[in-house]
Amino acid sequence: MSGSENIPRHVAIIMDGNGRWARERGLPRVEGHRAGAESVRTIVRAAGEVSVEFLTLYAFSIENWIRPRSETSALMKLLSLYLRNEVRELNKNNVRLEAIGRLGDLPETAQREMDAARRATANNTGLTLILALSYGARAEIVDAVRSITADAQAGVVKPEQVDEALLSSRLYTARYPDPDLLIRTSGEMRLSNFLLWQMSYAEMWITPTLWPDFRKPEFLKAIEEYGKRQRRFGGVEPA
Ligand code: IPE
Ligand code: IPE
Ligand code: MG
């Protein structure tokens, strides 16, 4: 890859296929999640290297809580472990860590680790890594509407002031540009309640590769393909 023009500012990834990766090897699902954490490490570094500014990783959906308790608690433990162990590496790579979702749903230890990791990386100026945790796009939109209606009731916002910009400003992602490129691993052709509002004009790249096998070469391939896409935003092909 030439590594210059047409790099997506914001890449969002649905990291899927950990369970299938483990099953293919006759391993428990948690081993797939563990292997997936390695891919996270690799892709965060690669994204920083090619000057992506924002990387949002769908790590745990609000719907994922319906999984067996043994799996959700293993995932929460892995999250805590990642947050504890990764700060040094994030700082080394100048990565600022942030999170979106109903973070209050997470176990208290994970919430504390998250706060600590955010604080420890807050002054970094390279890639912003955004972990989507207990995240659901519909829940996010509901939360945004609630905050707007509360302001409306207080007389701070008038109905005619409600527009796309105002709604965007009440989403968890208020401080980030919309994703330019969405990557989904493991071949599923769906959004699974991820960034529904923000994804309006994102370019999509779906690969059959399972997340634990998704590493730098394929990430670079997705970035390169993105560079060849022609985005129209409803307009016509340029002359
Ligand atoms: C993605 O892998 C990780 C999470 C959703 C937490 P899965 O656990 O969904 O793996 P598959 O889809 O069952 O293979
Ligand atoms: C989406 O994957 C959520 C994450 C990657 C965290 P799922 O495995 O939960 O999605 P579905 O259930 O196959 O749509
Ligand atoms: Mg899955």
Side-chain angles (χ1 to χ4, degrees):
M1 208 180 65
S2 62
S4 53
E5 66 293 334
N6 236 354
I7 298 289
R9 265 190 92 191
H10 185 171
V11 178
I13 308 185
I14 302 176
M15 310 185 287
D16 199 11
N18 295 351
R20 278 162 281 176
W21 184 92
R23 196 183 57 218
E24 279 177 4
R25 285 160 182 77
L27 296 169
R29 291 176 60 86
V30 62
E31 291 305 323
H33 298 314
R34 208 163 275 147
E38 265 315 306
S39 294
V40 170
R41 201 161 286 137
T42 310
I43 299 308
V44 168
R45 202 176 307 129
E49 282 165 12
V50 295
S51 301
V52 165
E53 290 174 58
F54 301 89
L55 176 68
T56 301
L57 299 179
Y58 204 4
F60 193 85
S61 77
I62 204 162
E63 285 81 20
N64 285 149
W65 290 114
I66 64 173
R67 294 187 181 196
R69 169 114 189 155
S70 55
E71 180 166 349
T72 58
S73 51
L75 279 164
M76 291 303 133
K77 284 207 187 88
L78 273 178
L79 171 65
S80 287
L81 195 70
Y82 176 84
L83 293 172
R84 262 200 306 281
N85 293 342
E86 239 16 54
V87 168
R88 186 204 295 254
E89 168 86 2
L90 295 175
N91 280 333
K92 202 174 84 195
N93 296 318
N94 198 20
V95 178
R96 184 171 63 212
L97 180 75
E98 301 193 355
I100 55 171
R102 294 232 173 122
L103 303 178
D105 294 350
L106 302 178
E108 269 178 37
T109 13
Q111 290 187 45
R112 269 201 307 275
E113 312 275 13
M114 178 57 76
D115 287 343
R118 274 168 149 173
R119 273 198 305 274
T121 62
N123 294 324
N124 292 335
T125 54
L127 176 75
T128 299
L129 168 63
I130 303 147
L131 296 183
L133 293 163
S134 196
Y135 175 87
R138 288 183 169 188
E140 175 184 39
I141 293 168
V142 166
D143 287 349
V145 171
R146 249 184 225 162
S147 108
I148 293 171
T149 46
D151 280 358
Q153 204 166 31
V156 184
V157 167
K158 296 196 189 76
E160 59 273 23
Q161 289 174 317
V162 178
D163 57 10
E164 294 185 11
L166 181 70
L167 191 81
S168 294
S169 77
R170 300 299 173 97
L171 296 172
Y172 309 147
T173 52
R175 287 170 297 131
Y176 317 128
D178 286 344
D180 301 294
L181 172 65
L182 167 70
I183 297 174
R184 181 163 188 153
T185 59
S186 92
E188 244 63 70
M189 305 280 180
R190 53 179 175 256
L191 284 175
S192 301
N193 202 16
F194 189 40
L195 300 173
L196 300 181
W197 170 276
Q198 299 88 335
M199 222 66 98
S200 296
Y201 273 101
E203 293 294 323
M204 304 204 279
W205 164 266
I206 294 169
T207 170
T209 304
L210 304 175
W211 176 251
D213 292 326
F214 187 85
R215 297 294 160 96
K216 188 173 171 179
E218 204 171 355
F219 178 73
L220 296 183
K221 176 91 189 131
I223 301 281
E224 190 188 325
E225 286 297 319
Y226 169 86
K228 295 184 204 153
R229 299 271 179 97
Q230 189 199 86
R231 302 183 78 184
R232 293 192 189 168
F233 301 99
V236 295
E237 196 176 359

